[in-house]
Amino acid sequence: MFCPSCGLQQPPDHRFCAACGRLLPRELLQRSGPKISRWFWAVPVAPSDPSSAALRVSRYVDSVEIHTDDGSVLAPSHHVRFSIWHEDHAVCAVSIPDDEAEALAGFLLATVAKGAEMGAEPAG
């Protein structure tokens, strides 16, 4: 992969450009695991909001057993997991089945489309 910002060729395991730091569009590459993940960077809107937070969304397309020091768990296929990250660790997470994820996507798209039809500026 080449960085879309500066053009430098990247090692296959990099998520960020080694030269300019831009997030690489890994979602355009062929999937190579049980899940597909994407990061969404937070916008602090209240004084108590952390300045460096993110939402990680993972769609599990295959089942996978996850091993930790505390034991192991089987993550089933066909669900979406949302995790809130602050700095370098998750502070909470929730999973929803694929049909609920599709309903959420429809809700988000309809809300944006309706606002655009009415000439409204996006909230933010």
Side-chain angles (χ1 to χ4, degrees), residues 3-71:
C3 175
S5 181
C6 72
L8 181 71
Q9 185 171 5
Q10 302 296 311
D13 60 338
H14 278 206
R15 293 184 348 180
F16 296 91
C17 177
C20 70
R22 179 173 176 174
L23 179 65
L24 299 171
R26 292 294 207 210
E27 65 273 6
L28 300 177
L29 299 178
Q30 188 173 22
R31 181 176 67 83
S32 64
K35 67 180 179 178
I36 301 165
S37 296
R38 182 159 176 207
W39 291 90
F40 299 89
W41 305 111
V43 175
V45 295
S48 61
D49 289 350
S51 60
S52 58
L55 171 67
R56 180 179 174 184
V57 181
S58 299
R59 178 177 284 274
Y60 284 78
V61 292
D62 296 322
S63 296
V64 61
E65 190 167 2
I66 301 168
H67 301 279
T68 68
D69 292 340
D70 297 328

Short mmCIF file of all heavy atoms in Angstrom, two decimals, residues 3-71:
data_model
loop_
_atom_site.label_atom_id
_atom_site.label_comp_id
_atom_site.label_asym_id
_atom_site.label_seq_id
_atom_site.Cartn_x
_atom_site.Cartn_y
_atom_site.Cartn_z
N CYS A 3 0.80 5.45 0.79
CA CYS A 3 0.07 6.48 1.52
C CYS A 3 -0.64 7.39 0.52
O CYS A 3 0.00 7.92 -0.39
CB CYS A 3 1.01 7.29 2.40
SG CYS A 3 0.19 8.67 3.23
N PRO A 4 -1.96 7.61 0.70
CA PRO A 4 -2.68 8.49 -0.22
C PRO A 4 -2.32 9.96 -0.03
O PRO A 4 -2.62 10.79 -0.89
CB PRO A 4 -4.15 8.24 0.11
CG PRO A 4 -4.15 7.71 1.49
CD PRO A 4 -2.84 6.99 1.67
N SER A 5 -1.64 10.29 1.06
CA SER A 5 -1.28 11.68 1.33
C SER A 5 0.11 12.03 0.76
O SER A 5 0.24 12.99 0.03
CB SER A 5 -1.32 11.94 2.83
OG SER A 5 -1.00 13.27 3.11
N CYS A 6 1.12 11.22 1.10
CA CYS A 6 2.49 11.56 0.68
C CYS A 6 3.07 10.61 -0.35
O CYS A 6 4.12 10.89 -0.92
CB CYS A 6 3.41 11.66 1.90
SG CYS A 6 3.79 10.07 2.65
N GLY A 7 2.42 9.46 -0.58
CA GLY A 7 2.86 8.53 -1.61
C GLY A 7 3.92 7.53 -1.20
O GLY A 7 4.34 6.70 -2.00
N LEU A 8 4.37 7.55 0.06
CA LEU A 8 5.39 6.61 0.51
C LEU A 8 4.81 5.20 0.61
O LEU A 8 3.72 5.00 1.15
CB LEU A 8 5.93 7.04 1.89
CG LEU A 8 7.04 6.14 2.47
CD1 LEU A 8 8.33 6.33 1.69
CD2 LEU A 8 7.25 6.48 3.93
N GLN A 9 5.55 4.20 0.09
CA GLN A 9 5.11 2.82 0.22
C GLN A 9 5.21 2.40 1.69
O GLN A 9 6.18 2.74 2.37
CB GLN A 9 5.94 1.88 -0.65
CG GLN A 9 5.41 0.46 -0.63
CD GLN A 9 6.09 -0.44 -1.66
OE1 GLN A 9 7.02 -0.04 -2.34
NE2 GLN A 9 5.60 -1.66 -1.75
N GLN A 10 4.20 1.65 2.16
CA GLN A 10 4.12 1.29 3.57
C GLN A 10 4.32 -0.20 3.79
O GLN A 10 3.93 -1.01 2.94
CB GLN A 10 2.73 1.66 4.11
CG GLN A 10 2.39 3.12 3.95
CD GLN A 10 3.31 4.01 4.75
OE1 GLN A 10 3.52 3.78 5.94
NE2 GLN A 10 3.86 5.02 4.10
N PRO A 11 4.90 -0.58 4.92
CA PRO A 11 4.95 -2.00 5.28
C PRO A 11 3.52 -2.53 5.44
O PRO A 11 2.61 -1.78 5.81
CB PRO A 11 5.69 -2.02 6.62
CG PRO A 11 6.46 -0.73 6.64
CD PRO A 11 5.61 0.25 5.89
N PRO A 12 3.29 -3.81 5.18
CA PRO A 12 1.92 -4.34 5.20
C PRO A 12 1.22 -4.29 6.55
O PRO A 12 0.00 -4.30 6.61
CB PRO A 12 2.09 -5.79 4.72
CG PRO A 12 3.53 -6.10 4.88
CD PRO A 12 4.28 -4.80 4.81
N ASP A 13 1.98 -4.22 7.65
CA ASP A 13 1.34 -4.22 8.97
C ASP A 13 1.12 -2.82 9.54
O ASP A 13 0.60 -2.66 10.63
CB ASP A 13 2.16 -5.05 9.95
CG ASP A 13 3.58 -4.53 10.13
OD1 ASP A 13 4.07 -3.81 9.23
OD2 ASP A 13 4.20 -4.85 11.16
N HIS A 14 1.48 -1.77 8.80
CA HIS A 14 1.31 -0.40 9.30
C HIS A 14 -0.13 0.07 9.14
O HIS A 14 -0.77 -0.19 8.12
CB HIS A 14 2.24 0.57 8.57
CG HIS A 14 3.62 0.56 9.11
ND1 HIS A 14 4.46 1.64 9.00
CD2 HIS A 14 4.33 -0.38 9.78
CE1 HIS A 14 5.62 1.36 9.57
NE2 HIS A 14 5.56 0.13 10.04
N ARG A 15 -0.63 0.78 10.15
CA ARG A 15 -1.96 1.40 10.09
C ARG A 15 -1.84 2.89 9.82
O ARG A 15 -2.78 3.52 9.38
CB ARG A 15 -2.72 1.17 11.40
CG ARG A 15 -3.08 -0.27 11.62
CD ARG A 15 -3.89 -0.49 12.83
NE ARG A 15 -3.93 0.68 13.70
CZ ARG A 15 -4.58 0.75 14.83
NH1 ARG A 15 -5.24 -0.28 15.24
NH2 ARG A 15 -4.57 1.82 15.57
N PHE A 16 -0.67 3.47 10.13
CA PHE A 16 -0.42 4.88 9.92
C PHE A 16 0.82 5.03 9.05
O PHE A 16 1.75 4.22 9.13
CB PHE A 16 -0.23 5.60 11.26
CG PHE A 16 -1.44 5.59 12.12
CD1 PHE A 16 -1.65 4.59 13.05
CD2 PHE A 16 -2.40 6.59 12.00
CE1 PHE A 16 -2.78 4.58 13.84
CE2 PHE A 16 -3.53 6.60 12.79
CZ PHE A 16 -3.73 5.59 13.70
N CYS A 17 0.86 6.07 8.24
CA CYS A 17 2.00 6.33 7.37
C CYS A 17 3.24 6.60 8.21
O CYS A 17 3.21 7.40 9.15
CB CYS A 17 1.71 7.51 6.45
SG CYS A 17 3.12 7.96 5.41
N ALA A 18 4.34 5.96 7.85
CA ALA A 18 5.59 6.13 8.57
C ALA A 18 6.19 7.53 8.36
O ALA A 18 6.94 8.01 9.19
CB ALA A 18 6.59 5.08 8.13
N ALA A 19 5.82 8.20 7.26
CA ALA A 19 6.37 9.52 6.97
C ALA A 19 5.50 10.65 7.49
O ALA A 19 5.96 11.52 8.22
CB ALA A 19 6.59 9.68 5.47
N CYS A 20 4.21 10.65 7.12
CA CYS A 20 3.35 11.81 7.46
C CYS A 20 2.35 11.52 8.59
O CYS A 20 1.69 12.44 9.06
CB CYS A 20 2.60 12.31 6.22
SG CYS A 20 1.32 11.20 5.62
N GLY A 21 2.20 10.26 9.00
CA GLY A 21 1.32 9.92 10.11
C GLY A 21 -0.14 9.75 9.75
O GLY A 21 -0.96 9.47 10.62
N ARG A 22 -0.51 9.88 8.49
CA ARG A 22 -1.92 9.75 8.09
C ARG A 22 -2.41 8.32 8.28
O ARG A 22 -1.67 7.36 8.05
CB ARG A 22 -2.09 10.15 6.62
CG ARG A 22 -3.53 10.00 6.18
CD ARG A 22 -3.76 10.53 4.82
NE ARG A 22 -5.14 10.26 4.44
CZ ARG A 22 -5.68 10.70 3.34
NH1 ARG A 22 -4.99 11.45 2.52
NH2 ARG A 22 -6.92 10.40 3.05
N LEU A 23 -3.66 8.19 8.71
CA LEU A 23 -4.29 6.88 8.84
C LEU A 23 -4.41 6.28 7.45
O LEU A 23 -4.92 6.92 6.53
CB LEU A 23 -5.67 7.02 9.48
CG LEU A 23 -6.47 5.74 9.67
CD1 LEU A 23 -5.78 4.80 10.65
CD2 LEU A 23 -7.87 6.06 10.17
N LEU A 24 -3.93 5.05 7.28
CA LEU A 24 -3.96 4.40 5.98
C LEU A 24 -5.33 3.76 5.75
O LEU A 24 -5.92 3.21 6.69
CB LEU A 24 -2.86 3.35 5.89
CG LEU A 24 -1.45 3.90 6.04
CD1 LEU A 24 -0.44 2.76 6.15
CD2 LEU A 24 -1.10 4.81 4.87
N PRO A 25 -5.85 3.80 4.54
CA PRO A 25 -7.19 3.25 4.25
C PRO A 25 -7.16 1.73 4.14
O PRO A 25 -7.40 1.16 3.09
CB PRO A 25 -7.56 3.93 2.93
CG PRO A 25 -6.25 4.17 2.26
CD PRO A 25 -5.27 4.46 3.37
N ARG A 26 -6.90 1.06 5.23
CA ARG A 26 -6.80 -0.40 5.26
C ARG A 26 -8.11 -1.08 4.84
O ARG A 26 -8.09 -2.20 4.36
CB ARG A 26 -6.43 -0.89 6.67
CG ARG A 26 -5.03 -0.52 7.08
CD ARG A 26 -4.14 -1.22 6.22
NE ARG A 26 -2.84 -1.56 6.65
CZ ARG A 26 -1.87 -1.65 5.75
NH1 ARG A 26 -2.08 -1.38 4.51
NH2 ARG A 26 -0.68 -2.04 6.11
N GLU A 27 -9.26 -0.40 5.02
CA GLU A 27 -10.54 -1.01 4.66
C GLU A 27 -10.65 -1.27 3.16
O GLU A 27 -11.50 -2.03 2.72
CB GLU A 27 -11.72 -0.15 5.15
CG GLU A 27 -11.83 1.20 4.48
CD GLU A 27 -11.00 2.29 5.15
OE1 GLU A 27 -10.24 2.01 6.08
OE2 GLU A 27 -11.13 3.44 4.70
N LEU A 28 -9.77 -0.67 2.37
CA LEU A 28 -9.78 -0.90 0.92
C LEU A 28 -9.06 -2.18 0.54
O LEU A 28 -9.21 -2.67 -0.58
CB LEU A 28 -9.13 0.28 0.20
CG LEU A 28 -9.80 1.63 0.41
CD1 LEU A 28 -9.03 2.73 -0.31
CD2 LEU A 28 -11.24 1.61 -0.06
N LEU A 29 -8.27 -2.74 1.46
CA LEU A 29 -7.55 -3.97 1.19
C LEU A 29 -8.44 -5.18 1.45
O LEU A 29 -9.40 -5.12 2.21
CB LEU A 29 -6.31 -4.06 2.07
CG LEU A 29 -5.28 -2.95 1.88
CD1 LEU A 29 -4.13 -3.14 2.86
CD2 LEU A 29 -4.77 -2.94 0.45
N GLN A 30 -8.07 -6.29 0.84
CA GLN A 30 -8.81 -7.53 1.06
C GLN A 30 -8.70 -7.95 2.52
O GLN A 30 -7.64 -7.85 3.14
CB GLN A 30 -8.25 -8.62 0.15
CG GLN A 30 -9.08 -9.88 0.16
CD GLN A 30 -8.57 -10.86 -0.89
OE1 GLN A 30 -7.43 -10.81 -1.32
NE2 GLN A 30 -9.43 -11.76 -1.28
N ARG A 31 -9.79 -8.40 3.08
CA ARG A 31 -9.85 -8.82 4.48
C ARG A 31 -8.96 -10.04 4.70
O ARG A 31 -8.89 -10.93 3.87
CB ARG A 31 -11.30 -9.16 4.82
CG ARG A 31 -11.50 -9.58 6.24
CD ARG A 31 -12.97 -9.81 6.54
NE ARG A 31 -13.53 -10.93 5.84
CZ ARG A 31 -13.44 -12.18 6.24
NH1 ARG A 31 -12.80 -12.47 7.34
NH2 ARG A 31 -13.98 -13.14 5.56
N SER A 32 -8.28 -10.07 5.87
CA SER A 32 -7.42 -11.20 6.17
C SER A 32 -7.59 -11.67 7.61
O SER A 32 -6.64 -11.98 8.28
CB SER A 32 -5.96 -10.82 5.92
OG SER A 32 -5.58 -9.80 6.81
N GLY A 33 -8.81 -11.71 8.10
CA GLY A 33 -9.04 -12.18 9.46
C GLY A 33 -10.52 -12.31 9.74
O GLY A 33 -11.36 -12.11 8.87
N PRO A 34 -10.86 -12.63 10.99
CA PRO A 34 -12.27 -12.87 11.35
C PRO A 34 -13.10 -11.60 11.51
O PRO A 34 -14.31 -11.66 11.65
CB PRO A 34 -12.18 -13.61 12.67
CG PRO A 34 -10.89 -13.13 13.27
CD PRO A 34 -9.97 -12.90 12.10
N LYS A 35 -12.44 -10.43 11.50
CA LYS A 35 -13.18 -9.19 11.69
C LYS A 35 -12.60 -8.08 10.82
O LYS A 35 -11.46 -8.15 10.37
CB LYS A 35 -13.17 -8.75 13.15
CG LYS A 35 -11.81 -8.35 13.66
CD LYS A 35 -11.86 -7.94 15.11
CE LYS A 35 -10.47 -7.56 15.61
NZ LYS A 35 -10.49 -7.12 16.97
N ILE A 36 -13.41 -7.06 10.64
CA ILE A 36 -13.00 -5.85 9.94
C ILE A 36 -13.22 -4.71 10.92
O ILE A 36 -14.31 -4.59 11.49
CB ILE A 36 -13.86 -5.62 8.68
CG1 ILE A 36 -13.74 -6.81 7.74
CG2 ILE A 36 -13.46 -4.34 7.97
CD1 ILE A 36 -14.80 -6.85 6.67
N SER A 37 -12.20 -3.90 11.16
CA SER A 37 -12.31 -2.82 12.14
C SER A 37 -12.01 -1.47 11.50
O SER A 37 -11.23 -1.39 10.55
CB SER A 37 -11.34 -3.04 13.31
OG SER A 37 -11.66 -4.21 14.01
N ARG A 38 -12.62 -0.45 12.07
CA ARG A 38 -12.35 0.92 11.63
C ARG A 38 -12.43 1.83 12.85
O ARG A 38 -13.26 1.64 13.73
CB ARG A 38 -13.36 1.35 10.59
CG ARG A 38 -13.08 2.75 10.10
CD ARG A 38 -13.68 3.03 8.78
NE ARG A 38 -13.40 4.43 8.47
CZ ARG A 38 -14.14 5.17 7.70
NH1 ARG A 38 -15.19 4.66 7.12
NH2 ARG A 38 -13.84 6.41 7.47
N TRP A 39 -11.57 2.85 12.88
CA TRP A 39 -11.52 3.84 13.95
C TRP A 39 -12.26 5.09 13.52
O TRP A 39 -12.16 5.51 12.37
CB TRP A 39 -10.09 4.20 14.28
CG TRP A 39 -9.33 3.08 14.94
CD1 TRP A 39 -8.60 2.12 14.32
CD2 TRP A 39 -9.24 2.82 16.34
NE1 TRP A 39 -8.05 1.27 15.26
CE2 TRP A 39 -8.43 1.68 16.50
CE3 TRP A 39 -9.77 3.44 17.47
CZ2 TRP A 39 -8.13 1.16 17.74
CZ3 TRP A 39 -9.46 2.91 18.71
CH2 TRP A 39 -8.66 1.78 18.84
N PHE A 40 -12.96 5.71 14.47
CA PHE A 40 -13.62 6.99 14.26
C PHE A 40 -13.16 7.90 15.40
O PHE A 40 -13.37 7.57 16.57
CB PHE A 40 -15.15 6.84 14.28
CG PHE A 40 -15.64 5.94 13.18
CD1 PHE A 40 -15.77 4.57 13.38
CD2 PHE A 40 -15.97 6.46 11.93
CE1 PHE A 40 -16.21 3.74 12.38
CE2 PHE A 40 -16.42 5.63 10.92
CZ PHE A 40 -16.54 4.27 11.14
N TRP A 41 -12.54 9.01 15.07
CA TRP A 41 -11.97 9.90 16.08
C TRP A 41 -13.04 10.79 16.66
O TRP A 41 -13.88 11.33 15.96
CB TRP A 41 -10.81 10.70 15.49
CG TRP A 41 -9.80 9.77 14.89
CD1 TRP A 41 -9.52 9.60 13.57
CD2 TRP A 41 -9.01 8.79 15.59
NE1 TRP A 41 -8.59 8.62 13.40
CE2 TRP A 41 -8.26 8.09 14.62
CE3 TRP A 41 -8.86 8.44 16.92
CZ2 TRP A 41 -7.36 7.08 14.95
CZ3 TRP A 41 -7.98 7.43 17.25
CH2 TRP A 41 -7.24 6.77 16.27
N ALA A 42 -13.01 10.96 17.97
CA ALA A 42 -14.01 11.72 18.71
C ALA A 42 -13.76 13.22 18.60
O ALA A 42 -12.64 13.67 18.38
CB ALA A 42 -14.01 11.31 20.18
N VAL A 43 -14.84 13.96 18.77
CA VAL A 43 -14.78 15.42 18.83
C VAL A 43 -15.23 15.82 20.24
O VAL A 43 -16.38 15.57 20.61
CB VAL A 43 -15.73 16.06 17.78
CG1 VAL A 43 -15.75 17.57 17.93
CG2 VAL A 43 -15.34 15.64 16.39
N PRO A 44 -14.35 16.38 21.05
CA PRO A 44 -14.78 16.79 22.38
C PRO A 44 -15.77 17.96 22.27
O PRO A 44 -15.50 18.94 21.60
CB PRO A 44 -13.49 17.24 23.07
CG PRO A 44 -12.39 17.08 22.10
CD PRO A 44 -12.95 16.63 20.80
N VAL A 45 -16.95 17.80 22.91
CA VAL A 45 -17.96 18.86 22.85
C VAL A 45 -18.35 19.37 24.24
O VAL A 45 -19.03 20.37 24.35
CB VAL A 45 -19.23 18.39 22.10
CG1 VAL A 45 -18.91 18.12 20.64
CG2 VAL A 45 -19.85 17.16 22.74
N ALA A 46 -17.90 18.70 25.27
CA ALA A 46 -18.17 19.14 26.65
C ALA A 46 -16.84 19.24 27.39
O ALA A 46 -15.88 18.55 27.03
CB ALA A 46 -19.09 18.14 27.35
N PRO A 47 -16.77 20.07 28.41
CA PRO A 47 -15.51 20.23 29.14
C PRO A 47 -14.95 18.92 29.70
O PRO A 47 -13.74 18.75 29.79
CB PRO A 47 -15.86 21.20 30.28
CG PRO A 47 -17.05 21.93 29.79
CD PRO A 47 -17.82 20.97 28.91
N SER A 48 -15.82 17.98 30.03
CA SER A 48 -15.36 16.72 30.60
C SER A 48 -14.96 15.68 29.55
O SER A 48 -14.44 14.62 29.89
CB SER A 48 -16.45 16.13 31.51
OG SER A 48 -17.61 15.86 30.75
N ASP A 49 -15.19 15.96 28.26
CA ASP A 49 -14.83 15.02 27.20
C ASP A 49 -13.31 14.95 27.06
O ASP A 49 -12.64 15.98 27.05
CB ASP A 49 -15.41 15.46 25.85
CG ASP A 49 -16.91 15.28 25.78
OD1 ASP A 49 -17.49 14.66 26.69
OD2 ASP A 49 -17.51 15.77 24.80
N PRO A 50 -12.76 13.73 26.93
CA PRO A 50 -11.31 13.62 26.73
C PRO A 50 -10.92 14.16 25.36
O PRO A 50 -11.68 14.09 24.40
CB PRO A 50 -11.05 12.11 26.83
CG PRO A 50 -12.37 11.47 26.54
CD PRO A 50 -13.43 12.44 26.98
N SER A 51 -9.71 14.70 25.29
CA SER A 51 -9.25 15.27 24.02
C SER A 51 -8.76 14.21 23.04
O SER A 51 -8.67 14.46 21.85
CB SER A 51 -8.13 16.28 24.27
OG SER A 51 -7.05 15.63 24.91
N SER A 52 -8.45 13.03 23.54
CA SER A 52 -7.95 11.96 22.66
C SER A 52 -8.76 10.69 22.88
O SER A 52 -8.32 9.77 23.54
CB SER A 52 -6.48 11.70 22.91
OG SER A 52 -6.28 11.36 24.27
N ALA A 53 -9.95 10.67 22.31
CA ALA A 53 -10.81 9.49 22.41
C ALA A 53 -11.20 9.03 21.02
O ALA A 53 -11.11 9.80 20.05
CB ALA A 53 -12.06 9.81 23.24
N ALA A 54 -11.62 7.79 20.92
CA ALA A 54 -12.00 7.24 19.63
C ALA A 54 -13.05 6.15 19.81
O ALA A 54 -13.18 5.56 20.88
CB ALA A 54 -10.79 6.67 18.91
N LEU A 55 -13.78 5.91 18.74
CA LEU A 55 -14.74 4.81 18.67
C LEU A 55 -14.15 3.79 17.71
O LEU A 55 -13.79 4.12 16.58
CB LEU A 55 -16.09 5.31 18.14
CG LEU A 55 -17.12 4.23 17.81
CD1 LEU A 55 -17.58 3.53 19.08
CD2 LEU A 55 -18.31 4.85 17.08
N ARG A 56 -14.04 2.56 18.16
CA ARG A 56 -13.58 1.48 17.29
C ARG A 56 -14.79 0.61 17.00
O ARG A 56 -15.47 0.15 17.91
CB ARG A 56 -12.49 0.65 17.95
CG ARG A 56 -11.99 -0.47 17.06
CD ARG A 56 -10.90 -1.24 17.74
NE ARG A 56 -10.54 -2.39 16.93
CZ ARG A 56 -9.66 -3.30 17.30
NH1 ARG A 56 -9.04 -3.19 18.46
NH2 ARG A 56 -9.40 -4.31 16.53
N VAL A 57 -15.05 0.38 15.72
CA VAL A 57 -16.17 -0.45 15.30
C VAL A 57 -15.59 -1.67 14.59
O VAL A 57 -14.83 -1.53 13.63
CB VAL A 57 -17.13 0.32 14.37
CG1 VAL A 57 -18.29 -0.57 13.96
CG2 VAL A 57 -17.63 1.59 15.04
N SER A 58 -15.96 -2.86 15.07
CA SER A 58 -15.47 -4.11 14.48
C SER A 58 -16.66 -4.95 14.06
O SER A 58 -17.55 -5.22 14.87
CB SER A 58 -14.62 -4.90 15.47
OG SER A 58 -13.49 -4.16 15.86
N ARG A 59 -16.68 -5.36 12.80
CA ARG A 59 -17.72 -6.27 12.29
C ARG A 59 -17.09 -7.65 12.21
O ARG A 59 -16.12 -7.87 11.49
CB ARG A 59 -18.21 -5.84 10.92
CG ARG A 59 -19.26 -6.81 10.36
CD ARG A 59 -19.81 -6.36 9.03
NE ARG A 59 -20.75 -5.27 9.17
CZ ARG A 59 -22.06 -5.44 9.41
NH1 ARG A 59 -22.54 -6.65 9.57
NH2 ARG A 59 -22.85 -4.40 9.49
N TYR A 60 -17.63 -8.58 13.00
CA TYR A 60 -17.14 -9.95 13.03
C TYR A 60 -17.85 -10.75 11.95
O TYR A 60 -19.06 -10.92 11.99
CB TYR A 60 -17.37 -10.58 14.40
CG TYR A 60 -16.38 -10.08 15.44
CD1 TYR A 60 -16.54 -8.83 16.03
CD2 TYR A 60 -15.28 -10.85 15.78
CE1 TYR A 60 -15.62 -8.37 16.96
CE2 TYR A 60 -14.35 -10.39 16.72
CZ TYR A 60 -14.54 -9.15 17.30
OH TYR A 60 -13.63 -8.69 18.22
N VAL A 61 -17.08 -11.22 10.97
CA VAL A 61 -17.64 -12.00 9.88
C VAL A 61 -17.40 -13.50 10.07
O VAL A 61 -18.05 -14.31 9.44
CB VAL A 61 -17.10 -11.52 8.52
CG1 VAL A 61 -17.62 -10.13 8.20
CG2 VAL A 61 -15.59 -11.52 8.49
N ASP A 62 -16.47 -13.84 10.93
CA ASP A 62 -16.19 -15.23 11.31
C ASP A 62 -16.09 -15.30 12.83
O ASP A 62 -15.75 -14.32 13.48
CB ASP A 62 -14.86 -15.71 10.72
CG ASP A 62 -14.86 -15.76 9.20
OD1 ASP A 62 -15.89 -16.13 8.62
OD2 ASP A 62 -13.82 -15.40 8.61
N SER A 63 -16.35 -16.47 13.38
CA SER A 63 -16.15 -16.67 14.82
C SER A 63 -14.65 -16.74 15.09
O SER A 63 -13.87 -17.17 14.25
CB SER A 63 -16.79 -17.98 15.27
OG SER A 63 -18.18 -17.94 15.10
N VAL A 64 -14.27 -16.27 16.28
CA VAL A 64 -12.86 -16.32 16.66
C VAL A 64 -12.77 -16.49 18.18
O VAL A 64 -13.55 -15.89 18.93
CB VAL A 64 -12.10 -15.05 16.20
CG1 VAL A 64 -12.68 -13.80 16.83
CG2 VAL A 64 -10.62 -15.16 16.49
N GLU A 65 -11.83 -17.32 18.62
CA GLU A 65 -11.59 -17.47 20.04
C GLU A 65 -10.50 -16.48 20.44
O GLU A 65 -9.44 -16.43 19.83
CB GLU A 65 -11.16 -18.89 20.38
CG GLU A 65 -11.13 -19.14 21.88
CD GLU A 65 -11.01 -20.60 22.24
OE1 GLU A 65 -10.92 -21.44 21.34
OE2 GLU A 65 -11.00 -20.89 23.44
N ILE A 66 -10.79 -15.67 21.46
CA ILE A 66 -9.87 -14.64 21.92
C ILE A 66 -9.30 -15.09 23.26
O ILE A 66 -10.05 -15.40 24.19
CB ILE A 66 -10.58 -13.28 22.05
CG1 ILE A 66 -11.15 -12.88 20.69
CG2 ILE A 66 -9.65 -12.23 22.61
CD1 ILE A 66 -12.11 -11.71 20.76
N HIS A 67 -7.98 -15.11 23.36
CA HIS A 67 -7.29 -15.55 24.58
C HIS A 67 -6.66 -14.35 25.28
O HIS A 67 -6.04 -13.52 24.64
CB HIS A 67 -6.20 -16.57 24.24
CG HIS A 67 -6.71 -17.79 23.55
ND1 HIS A 67 -7.28 -18.84 24.21
CD2 HIS A 67 -6.75 -18.10 22.23
CE1 HIS A 67 -7.65 -19.76 23.34
NE2 HIS A 67 -7.34 -19.33 22.12
N THR A 68 -6.86 -14.28 26.59
CA THR A 68 -6.23 -13.25 27.41
C THR A 68 -5.65 -13.92 28.65
O THR A 68 -5.84 -15.11 28.87
CB THR A 68 -7.23 -12.16 27.85
OG1 THR A 68 -8.16 -12.74 28.77
CG2 THR A 68 -7.97 -11.57 26.66
N ASP A 69 -4.98 -13.13 29.48
CA ASP A 69 -4.45 -13.66 30.74
C ASP A 69 -5.57 -14.12 31.67
O ASP A 69 -5.36 -14.99 32.51
CB ASP A 69 -3.61 -12.60 31.45
CG ASP A 69 -2.34 -12.28 30.70
OD1 ASP A 69 -1.91 -13.11 29.87
OD2 ASP A 69 -1.76 -11.20 30.94
N ASP A 70 -6.78 -13.53 31.52
CA ASP A 70 -7.91 -13.88 32.38
C ASP A 70 -8.70 -15.08 31.88
O ASP A 70 -9.65 -15.51 32.52
CB ASP A 70 -8.86 -12.68 32.50
CG ASP A 70 -8.18 -11.49 33.16
OD1 ASP A 70 -7.30 -11.73 34.02
OD2 ASP A 70 -8.53 -10.36 32.81
N GLY A 71 -8.38 -15.60 30.71
CA GLY A 71 -9.11 -16.73 30.14
C GLY A 71 -9.36 -16.52 28.66
O GLY A 71 -8.65 -15.75 28.00
#
